[in-house]
Amino acid sequence: MKEIEVKILIVESATKYFSKFGFYKTTMDEIAKHIHKAKGVLYYYFKNKEELFNEVLKQELNSVKAELSKIVNSETDSLIILKEYMLTRLKLLHKAVNYHETLKADFFEKYLFVKDVREDFAEFEHTQITLILKKGKKEGYINIKNINSAVNVIMMVVNGIEIPLFLQNKYAEYENTIDELATMIVNSLRTQKK
Amino acid sequence: MKEIEVKILIVESATKYFSKFGFYKTTMDEIAKHIHKAKGVLYYYFKNKEELFNEVLKQELNSVKAELSKIVNSETDSLIILKEYMLTRLKLLHKAVNYHETLKADFFEKYLFVKDVREDFAEFEHTQITLILKKGKKEGYINIKNINSAVNVIMMVVNGIEIPLFLQNKYAEYENTIDELATMIVNSLRTQKK
DNA sequence: AAAATGACCAAAAAACAATATTAGTCAAAT
DNA sequence: ATTTGACTAATATTGTTTTTTGGTCATTTT
């Protein structure tokens, strides 16, 4: 059995348990047992439990990033891309249960160790949304003075509603409203002259 | 000493302690001691601690309502009113510390008893924002098909950012972005034709 | 050498018991 | 009609013991 394969098995097992029970109710022992290994081997591949969780989280967010990148780089006009981006973002993050747990980091200090992965994701999104708006401006679909302000507003709004949506399970209830929100944001950026 | 006065004193004292220490870390005894009364008298005027807190909360929100009503009924065009409404709402609620505590009701079941007061406030806001948009539509400043959808979006957004803003103390950090958010929402409703 | 083990330890969590606070009651006093 | 304060039951806190679990490491296996 080659090293790389075991590492993958560990992350798979960890993903399974962290997704189901969360960080604190998952034990290193059960992650190891599930792949018929001794607990010690986890520490051969990962420094500690927190680092293993971060790896799981990173992979979860990487697949979200990949999907979002596809949208950003698609050949459509920017306003459609922006709307698609916002809706897909929320749809994908809705299913990213380990990401949900990291939202608690804003309340409880015991989750501080996910800071880096979260910041990385926020930075990624800032870049992507900036790209969309810049392209839209260049192509004439979007008419705004300050792109960065608009990006900040969009990020504040989509981040702001995450807690009600994901931690309070109001995603289904809000689904229609989210669509309308996306439409409104897009309309506010749209070039006015006909 | 007349009944009504003592009741007022109780609420004043309760406001002081609830605002400073929150619901659970305030004791009925200290509320009573502060006005040199026996604890029992609180139960002559209020059924229990929860009802007393709800009274404090109600008064806090009543003064917010009063300010917001002034804005809604002012003689300006509706888009300016809407922006003013959103900004003032957040500014006033930022200072409403007992309201902040009720936001925890979405996370912790032990706060369920504030449900009625919160729902009442939400209903009030729904009515007010509807009024603003209807007036704007009538006067021609606003051009939207479905007023109710727009109201829902606005409420979702302003409610959604409450937790980051008030419980995570990011009000100062977000202040500018909030202003830009209000501008964007207003712009998305503005009648397009010149 | 690289990978894996499992006994081991310290620290954290859970369980339990003992103690202290506090919400709420009520008969009596004002 | 209002207020008191002793009382109680329930809840919270504190201290103690037991169990669980994250992490280490000398040893073994591949």
Side-chain angles (χ1 to χ4, degrees):
Chain A
M1 219 174 245
K2 281 173 292 177
E3 173 182 343
I4 192 71
E5 285 176 8
V6 171
K7 192 169 183 181
I8 288 171
L9 284 176
I10 291 171
V11 175
E12 279 175 3
S13 176
T15 300
K16 192 167 181 149
Y17 283 95
F18 284 141
S19 301
K20 191 160 185 180
F21 303 113
F23 180 77
Y24 288 102
K25 293 209 167 176
T26 294
T27 70
M28 293 298 264
D29 202 49
E30 60 188 344
I31 292 170
K33 286 262 175 62
H34 185 247
I35 53 172
H36 307 105
K37 298 273 168 182
K39 185 175 57 167
V41 81
L42 302 189
Y43 292 88
Y44 182 77
Y45 294 97
F46 295 94
K47 201 172 120 247
N48 52 34
K49 192 184 179 185
E50 299 185 352
E51 208 190 61
L52 177 54
F53 182 81
N54 273 327
E55 178 59 30
V56 169
L57 183 62
K58 223 169 115 185
Q59 292 195 9
E60 186 175 85
L61 288 179
N62 276 345
S63 78
V64 174
K65 279 184 186 179
E67 291 289 319
L68 292 178
S69 290
K70 274 191 221 163
I71 292 172
V72 173
N73 298 317
S74 66
E75 299 290 330
T76 326
D77 85 70
S78 305
L79 291 173
I80 292 176
I81 290 180
L82 180 60
K83 184 171 175 184
E84 188 68 13
Y85 183 97
M86 288 187 283
L87 296 183
T88 306
R89 174 201 200 273
L90 288 171
K91 195 183 77 195
L92 294 177
L93 288 182
H94 175 54
K95 288 183 282 186
V97 294
N98 292 299
Y99 176 74
H100 295 178
E101 194 170 12
T102 71
L103 295 177
K104 296 177 187 164
D106 293 320
F107 292 93
F108 305 113
E109 299 209 342
K110 54 178 185 167
Y111 281 102
L112 287 181
F113 62 90
V114 297
K115 188 166 170 277
D116 287 350
V117 184
R118 291 188 76 200
E119 282 178 359
D120 173 82
F121 186 69
E123 198 189 309
F124 166 84
E125 287 210 280
H126 196 280
T127 306
Q128 300 305 308
I129 300 174
T130 304
L131 271 175
I132 299 173
L133 296 193
K134 274 188 177 158
K135 182 174 162 247
K137 196 171 178 177
K138 206 172 100 190
E139 293 172 354
Y141 293 116
I142 289 175
N143 178 31
I144 42 170
K145 339 96 243 170
N146 192 336
I147 284 190
N148 204 49
S149 284
V151 174
N152 285 336
V153 171
I154 294 170
M155 295 227 5
M156 182 180 73
V157 171
V158 294
N159 280 302
I161 60 178
E162 280 181 359
I163 286 172
L165 243 44
F166 303 144
L167 295 188
Q168 299 168 21
N169 291 312
K170 292 182 181 166
Y171 185 78
E173 181 189 333
Y174 281 177
E175 204 159 14
N176 289 327
T177 309
I178 289 167
D179 193 287
E180 284 150 12
L181 166 66
T183 305
M184 269 178 75
I185 289 177
V186 164
N187 282 341
S188 76
L189 300 175
R190 174 168 280 133
T191 302
Q192 307 291 336
K193 52 200 169 191
K194 255 207 176 158
Chain B
M1 219 173 244
K2 278 173 294 176
E3 173 182 342
I4 193 72
E5 285 176 8
V6 171
K7 193 169 183 180
I8 289 172
L9 284 176
I10 292 172
V11 176
E12 278 176 4
S13 176
T15 301
K16 193 168 181 149
Y17 283 96
F18 284 141
S19 301
K20 191 162 187 181
F21 303 113
F23 181 77
Y24 288 101
K25 293 208 168 177
T26 294
T27 70
M28 293 298 263
D29 202 49
E30 60 188 345
I31 293 170
K33 286 263 175 61
H34 185 246
I35 54 171
H36 306 103
K37 298 272 168 180
K39 184 174 60 166
V41 80
L42 302 189
Y43 292 89
Y44 182 77
Y45 294 97
F46 296 94
K47 200 171 122 248
N48 52 34
K49 191 183 180 185
E50 299 185 351
E51 208 190 63
L52 177 54
F53 182 81
N54 274 327
E55 179 59 31
V56 169
L57 183 62
K58 223 169 114 185
Q59 292 195 10
E60 187 174 84
L61 288 178
N62 277 344
S63 78
V64 174
K65 280 183 185 178
E67 291 289 319
L68 292 177
S69 290
K70 273 191 221 163
I71 292 172
V72 173
N73 298 316
S74 66
E75 299 291 330
T76 327
D77 85 70
S78 304
L79 292 174
I80 292 175
I81 290 180
L82 180 60
K83 184 170 175 186
E84 188 67 14
Y85 183 96
M86 288 187 282
L87 296 183
T88 307
R89 174 201 199 272
L90 289 172
K91 195 184 78 194
L92 294 177
L93 288 182
H94 176 55
K95 288 182 282 184
V97 294
N98 292 298
Y99 177 75
H100 295 179
E101 194 170 12
T102 72
L103 296 177
K104 296 177 188 164
D106 293 319
F107 292 93
F108 305 113
E109 299 209 341
K110 55 178 184 166
Y111 281 101
L112 289 180
F113 63 90
V114 298
K115 187 165 169 278
D116 287 351
V117 183
R118 290 188 77 200
E119 282 178 358
D120 173 83
F121 186 69
E123 199 190 309
F124 166 84
E125 287 209 279
H126 196 282
T127 306
Q128 299 305 308
I129 299 173
T130 304
L131 271 176
I132 299 173
L133 296 193
K134 275 189 176 158
K135 182 173 162 246
K137 197 171 178 177
K138 207 173 99 189
E139 292 172 354
Y141 294 115
I142 289 176
N143 178 32
I144 42 170
K145 338 98 242 162
N146 193 337
I147 284 190
N148 203 49
S149 284
V151 174
N152 285 336
V153 171
I154 293 169
M155 295 225 9
M156 182 181 72
V157 171
V158 294
N159 279 303
I161 60 177
E162 280 181 359
I163 286 172
L165 244 43
F166 303 145
L167 295 188
Q168 299 167 22
N169 290 314
K170 293 182 181 166
Y171 185 78
E173 182 189 332
Y174 281 179
E175 205 159 11
N176 288 326
T177 309
I178 289 167
D179 193 286
E180 284 150 12
L181 166 66
T183 305
M184 269 178 73
I185 289 177
V186 163
N187 282 341
S188 77
L189 300 175
R190 175 168 280 132
T191 302
Q192 307 290 338
K193 52 200 172 192
K194 255 204 176 159

